[in-house]
Every structure is written in C-alpha cells, then in structure tokens.
Amino acid sequence: MNNLVILPLLIPLLAGIALIFLHKYILAQKWISALSAVLTVIVSGYLVQFVYDNGIQTLNLGNWKAPFGIVLVADLFASILVFTTSIVSLACILYSFKSIGIDRERFYYYSVVQFLIVGILGAFLTGDIFNLFVFFEVMLMSSYVLIVLGGTKIQLRESIKYILVNIVSSALFVTAVAYLYAVTGTLNMADLSVRINEIGNEGIITVIAILFLVVFGMKAAIFPLFFWLPGSYQAPPTPITAFFGALLTKVGVYSIIRVFTLIFNQDVAFTHTIIGILAGFTIIVGVIGAIAYWDVKKIIIYNIMTAVGVILAGLAAFSTTALSGAIFYVVHDMVIKAALFLLVGAMIVITGTNNLKEMGGLIRNHPLLGWMFFVAAVTLAGIPPLSGFVGKLLIVTGGFESEHYWLAGLVLLSSLLVLYSVFKIFLNGFWGETKLAKEEEKGTTKGLLYPCALLLSISIILGVGADWFYPYISEAAETLMNPSIYIQAVLGG
Amino acid sequence: MEIVMSFIIGILFTAATYLILSKSLIRIIIGTGLLSHGAHLLLLTMGGLKRGAAPLLGENASAYTDPLPQALILTAIVISFGVTAFFLVLAYRSYQELGTDNMDKLRGTDRNE
C-alpha cells in the first residue's frame, strides 16, 4: 500500500481540470502545464527508484482488498514506462508552446493533452483489466479531440476513420473482457493469472488470448491491423503527432506484453509463435512504407510500425534477455520517435512542405537542426554508442538463444532499411543544393530545438550509460518472466 | 436463455458489421450503435442470466443477480455514449465542411486537401 503509485496520475488530472477554467489565459495555461509535466517527471522518477529499491508497489483503491477492488500496481516495467512517458510529454508540451498556435491553445489544447497523459499513465499503472479499458478510453477520447482540434479538412477526414477503428476495437475489448469474465469470474489481472493457470491449457483461453491480441494489436498497429495509422497520424500538427507516435502505440505494445506475460502464459508455443509471425510482417510492412514515401512525416510514421514489430519480436522470443531488450527498445523508441517527429516538424516549419523533393540544403542555414537530425537518425538505426543499439542487441541475442533465427535476422535487416529511410531525409533534406534562402523560409525554429535537444541528450545518455540503466531493465524483465512475483505483490501471501 | 441471447447478440454483431462496411457515414454510426448494444448485452449474458433478485440489499432475497457486469455495462454505456455524441458531431461538422457523407469521397491523399 503506497499512495505514491497514484501521484503520477493525479498531477496531470488536477492540472487538466484546472486548465479547463483557464482556457482564455494562455500564459497561465503554459505555466501550469509545464509545471505539471515537470512535477510528473520528478514524481515518476522517484517512483522508479522506489520500486527498484523496495519491490512492486501496489495501491488498493478505497482499501478494498485486491481481487475485489481496483488495484494500481507499479512494477518496474510500468514505472519505467511512466517515467519515459512523462519525459516525452514534457518535451512535447514545451514544443507546443511555440508551434501549436493560439487558435488551438484557446480551445482547451493543454487541458486535453493533460487528460491524454492521464489516460496513458493510467493504462500503464492499472492492475485491473476493465480499468485498463477505461483508461484506454480516457486516452482515446483525448486523442480524438487532439486529432480533430483545429478542424482542417484533412483532420476531419482522417479523424472519422481513426475514431471508427477505435470504436470497433473498443467494442471488441468489451467483448473480450466479457468472455474472460465468463470463464474466470474475475477482472483483477493477478487473480486472472492465478485462475487461468488453475484452468490450465484450454482452447477457450487461447481464443480469448488471440482476441486480446487483436484488440491491443489494433491500438499498437501490428501487421494486419495497421491500416488506420499512416493517414491518421499524418493529419494533426507536429506536437500532436509526436504525442501519438511516441506514446499511443506503445500503450498497445505495453498491454500486449503485460497480458501475454502475466495472464496468457500457458500456451506459449502457440500464442507467442503467432506474435512472432505478426511481428515479422509488421517489420516488413514498416520498412517497405518507410522506404517508399517521400513525405517526411510518413517516413517516420512507418518507422513506428517497424519499432512495434521489433519490440514484439522481443516478446515472441520470450526469454529474460529478449524481454529486457524489448523493454529497453520501448524506452528508446518512445524518446527517439518523439525527437524525430519534433525535428521533422521543425523542417516542415522552415520549408512549409512535407515533400522531401521540395527540400534541400537546409544544413547551410540550420546546422544545429541538421546535426541533431543526424544524431537522431543514427540512434534510430542502432549504431553502437547510442541507445537504439543496446535494445536491438538484446533482442537479437534473445532471438538467437531461443532459436528464432529468422526473426532475429529480420530485425537486423530492418535496421539497415530504417537507416536508409531516415538517411534519405538527411541526404535530400539537409545536403545538396540550398533551395530556400534565409529570407524565403516559411517560419522560424526559434524555441523549437530545446525540446528536441532534451530528448536527444536523454537518448544519448540512455545509450552511453546503458550499464547504469541495465539493472533496472533486467530487473523489470525478470519480474515479467516470473508472474508469481507480481501475483504475490498484488494478492499477498 | 443464454443461447437465445447469444443468437440475438450474434445478429446484432452481424448487422453492425454490415452497416459499418457501408458507404454512408450515418449508416456507419448506426452500425457502431448496434455494435455497442451487442457488446453490452454480451457483458450481461456472459455474467450469467440466473434468476435472482435485483442487486438491492433491501430486497432481502436469498440470491441476487451478479452486480459486477451491471456496473461494467453502465460504465461502458456512458463511455460509448460520449464517443457516439462526439462522432455524431464530427460527422455533422465534416458534412458541413467537406460536403459529403459518402466514405468513398473521403478517400484520397494529402494532395486533394
């Protein structure tokens, strides 16, 4: 029992509520949302250290004992993701200050952002499957508002599709919960895990597992369910895309990892093989998309899919090494995807276009932006001293250990193509003939580069100081591989 | 009783799928309404349809119906109500702005913005 667990949720929730009343006072809005983001970072950083020192922390809401009430659980995996989310959202909020524009700010932009953060953090921290659904809805509802806020034509068009897909997947989520409740009679994840292991290897459990894979796969954009992602992530302005790209799909990934390590772990040979195959296809589709497009945003968007595939490949290998690789890669990818979206956003601000063929020679006038993009691109591909390397190394090692050779090979091959896709942006956008003179530029990057620098430095520290972070990550993976630790912490005894 | 309900829910899901795959936006929204009806009825059915008093302690009955699925449904209903309201307003707004409710015409790339 520890109230610390709920603090990362409460801060953005209260800030979001307060911001509703202040929607006309933009300066106050900025201060409050920055303050709340900084506080969340501090609290969640403390939470990570606390969980590392003292084991899994739980909070029985309203003092009802675990299977009967809702319980919030901060294990190391969840708290690491909470910490990463809060850092990424701080950077995106700082970026919004200069780029989102007064029209959106006056219509509750910052408030909705705070609610989005509440939904994401809640989904990470909850220990109850229906509560997870509710937090998903909090997150999705905020994302609906963010995707359509501003009401340009492309946003209206794409948000219809986005909302429709998510309504369908939410209905499937309710269906899946209903089936699971009929089989087990409980909603608490730890209790579910116990009861499903008592039932043992029944066909119906596997069917429900696959239904959950479909539901979460729809959120995470895995292979056959990714069709909504490219269009809808392209529509909103840059900081919103950065929020979505860095955080929303990762909640789906988190849920898949959580559900398939904690609850559905009795028929691993079947379920995890399916996850592996889908992960492979996700990687392939992701790199094909990333190579095919000349639209800077689209390239990064398809790279989200590749990353999701790589992370799920780590889950499919299902060993401590591969899972710690997956966790490391989630953290790395959240940070670097946000950084890339923000950097690409700065390029779009300067040139006024998404089309790579209309850019060129930006490095002459914007050396800092150029070299930052270079570092981000190299990090994304996983070049040794930087953060993308460690995660992929662990995933590939884990893949070889559990003899998923083709999957590990695919992960390695994908790095090459990812590198090609981002270097296409670098070579065509930054090098070559300068197409825009200083005076012709459509906007200024003033104030836009600090958040990118923040994210990049974190990702460099993550790579260079991997030794320092590794104990946290491997401990988290250890807990995931041994669900009994989680169950013991939640249900006691 | 559960068998009958399963058939009804199946029909609801079928109708919802059919409507969601149609061209007109308003039919799609009706489809999502049917889909959430189906999901909510499924929650109720899967909780078990045994005979028992309404879950009110004042009834002093020997057996009650399961209160948990009812609470879950209530939550799911308000959520889907919120989402549907948002979706309807969005459909209205996009009809004003884009001048069509035909999903085929809402296709396209960023070129024809």
Side-chain angles (χ1 to χ4, degrees):
Chain A
M1 285 290 283
N2 190 339
N3 284 325
L4 178 65
V5 181
I6 204 174
L7 263 186
L9 270 181
L10 272 186
I11 296 167
L13 179 66
L14 292 177
I17 293 171
L19 287 171
I20 292 177
F21 299 102
L22 295 169
H23 74 111
K24 282 186 186 137
Y25 308 99
I26 288 163
L27 194 66
Q29 286 198 57
K30 287 179 176 174
W31 272 102
I32 291 177
S33 38
L35 199 67
S36 123
V38 171
L39 268 179
T40 319
V41 171
I42 295 169
V43 168
S44 50
Y46 181 65
L47 181 67
V48 173
Q49 190 57 43
F50 196 83
V51 172
Y52 183 67
D53 291 337
N54 302 317
I56 297 177
Q57 298 298 311
T58 60
L59 174 64
N60 295 328
L61 296 175
N63 254 340
W64 292 94
K65 287 205 63 91
F68 305 113
I70 288 175
V71 58
L72 293 184
V73 187
D75 66 342
L76 209 48
F77 180 37
S79 32
I80 287 171
L81 290 188
V82 166
F83 185 48
T84 319
T85 304
S86 54
I87 290 175
V88 168
S89 44
L90 173 66
C92 292
I93 286 173
L94 290 179
Y95 192 91
S96 308
F97 289 170
K98 289 287 177 191
S99 72
I100 200 73
I102 196 157
D103 292 335
R104 289 190 169 89
E105 280 172 333
R106 278 180 46 225
F107 284 95
Y108 307 96
Y109 171 75
Y110 292 113
S111 194
V112 180
V113 163
Q114 296 293 332
F115 290 131
L116 182 76
I117 298 170
V118 172
I120 294 165
L121 298 186
F124 287 148
L125 286 175
T126 188
D128 182 285
I129 201 92
F130 194 77
N131 197 226
L132 179 67
F133 165 74
V134 175
F135 275 120
F136 259 110
E137 289 302 314
V138 172
M139 172 185 97
L140 290 173
M141 197 70 185
S142 320
S143 73
Y144 302 156
V145 178
L146 284 179
I147 202 172
V148 81
L149 191 66
T152 58
K153 282 184 180 170
I154 180 171
Q155 281 180 304
L156 288 170
R157 214 174 54 205
E158 294 304 333
S159 57
I160 289 175
K161 297 164 195 169
Y162 178 73
I163 292 175
L164 180 62
V165 166
N166 279 306
I167 287 177
V168 172
S169 81
S170 297
L172 284 179
F173 198 165
V174 174
T175 315
V177 168
Y179 287 148
L180 200 55
Y181 182 69
V183 175
T184 60
T186 181
L187 294 167
N188 181 290
M189 290 191 204
D191 201 25
L192 275 174
S193 174
V194 173
R195 295 206 185 183
I196 283 180
N197 277 312
E198 280 167 8
I199 299 169
N201 192 359
E202 287 242 8
I204 184 78
I205 303 289
T206 312
V207 171
I208 297 173
I210 298 302
L211 191 53
F212 270 102
L213 183 64
V214 170
V215 169
F216 294 139
M218 201 103 99
K219 320 274 184 197
I222 65 174
F223 160 61
L225 307 165
F226 63 89
F227 50 87
W228 55 272
L229 178 108
S232 46
Y233 278 21
Q234 202 193 12
T238 309
I240 300 174
T241 311
F243 264 118
F244 286 12
L247 305 176
L248 293 198
T249 50
K250 303 303 177 300
V251 180
V253 172
Y254 164 84
S255 310
I256 291 176
I257 295 180
R258 172 68 75 209
V259 162
F260 280 91
T261 54
L262 180 63
I263 302 177
F264 303 115
N265 51 8
Q266 61 288 309
D267 193 8
V268 173
F270 181 73
T271 51
H272 289 243
T273 309
I274 286 193
I275 294 176
I277 293 169
L278 293 183
F281 277 114
T282 313
I283 294 174
I284 293 171
V285 174
V287 289
I288 290 176
I291 290 170
Y293 280 97
W294 283 85
D295 178 315
V296 281
K297 251 185 175 176
K298 275 255 166 76
I299 293 174
I300 312 291
I301 287 170
Y302 275 100
N303 274 314
I304 298 175
M305 278 179 59
T306 316
V308 167
V310 170
I311 296 161
L312 289 184
L315 173 64
F318 207 55
S319 65
T320 312
T321 325
L323 267 179
S324 37
I327 297 170
F328 203 99
Y329 204 79
V330 177
V331 173
H332 145 78
D333 193 64
M334 283 163 102
V335 174
I336 202 67
K337 279 289 142 56
L340 272 170
F341 273 118
L342 299 182
L343 287 166
V344 161
M347 288 170 75
I348 295 173
V349 165
I350 294 168
T351 57
T353 172
N354 285 2
N355 192 339
L356 200 48
K357 287 179 174 159
E358 292 168 21
M359 298 179 185
L362 284 175
I363 204 150
R364 188 179 300 273
N365 293 327
H366 302 276
L368 183 62
L369 176 65
W371 292 116
M372 269 161 70
F373 188 87
F374 178 81
V375 174
V378 172
T379 313
L380 183 71
I383 306 290
L386 299 159
S387 66
F389 172 70
V390 189
K392 258 183 197 155
L393 178 71
L394 289 169
I395 289 174
V396 170
T397 319
F400 282 141
E401 275 170 10
S402 52
E403 298 183 345
H404 288 69
Y405 296 115
W406 57 277
L407 202 53
L410 204 57
V411 169
L412 287 175
L413 186 65
S414 77
S415 311
L416 205 62
L417 299 174
V418 164
L419 185 67
Y420 169 75
S421 70
V422 277
F423 261 74
K424 189 164 84 177
I425 301 182
F426 185 71
L427 291 178
N428 291 289
F430 288 101
W431 283 9
E433 188 187 341
T434 310
K435 291 187 179 163
L436 282 175
K438 193 96 181 142
E439 309 79 53
E440 292 171 335
E441 286 170 4
K442 307 286 189 293
T444 158
T445 59
K446 192 166 162 286
L448 293 183
L449 294 183
Y450 305 109
C452 311
L454 171 75
L455 289 174
L456 272 185
S457 51
I458 284 166
S459 126
I460 291 170
I461 294 170
L462 199 62
V464 177
D467 268 345
W468 192 68
F469 292 106
Y470 186 70
Y472 294 83
I473 306 276
S474 67
E475 175 95 16
E478 204 65 58
T479 323
L480 285 183
M481 285 302 286
N482 300 309
S484 53
I485 306 173
Y486 185 98
I487 295 166
Q488 182 120 29
V490 175
L491 298 179
Chain B
M1 193 61 195
E2 275 91 346
I3 301 288
V4 179
M5 286 301 281
S6 307
F7 273 110
I8 293 171
I9 294 159
I11 291 167
L12 277 173
F13 275 172
T14 318
T17 314
Y18 176 74
L19 284 171
I20 286 174
L21 293 176
S22 60
K23 275 181 188 170
S24 155
L25 185 52
I26 201 74
R27 276 165 163 266
I28 290 174
I29 298 177
I30 293 171
T32 61
L34 288 184
L35 189 64
S36 50
H37 279 326
H40 299 156
L41 281 178
L42 186 75
L43 259 179
L44 193 68
T45 311
M46 286 290 145
L49 295 173
K50 305 286 177 294
R51 281 182 184 281
L56 298 167
L57 288 178
E59 300 270 305
N60 287 324
S62 57
Y64 292 95
T65 49
D66 190 351
L68 193 64
Q70 303 188 11
L72 301 186
I73 292 166
L74 194 60
T75 315
I77 285 174
V78 291
I79 289 175
S80 68
F81 179 63
V83 173
T84 308
F86 187 83
F87 200 12
L88 277 169
V89 174
L90 178 70
Y92 180 60
R93 180 74 207 280
S94 50
Y95 181 70
Q96 281 182 324
E97 196 85 2
L98 305 168
T100 178
D101 77 329
N102 188 336
M103 287 305 279
D104 273 353
K105 291 190 179 149
L106 293 178
R107 272 196 306 206
T109 56
D110 37 315
R111 297 278 176 278
N112 50 16
E113 194 175 319

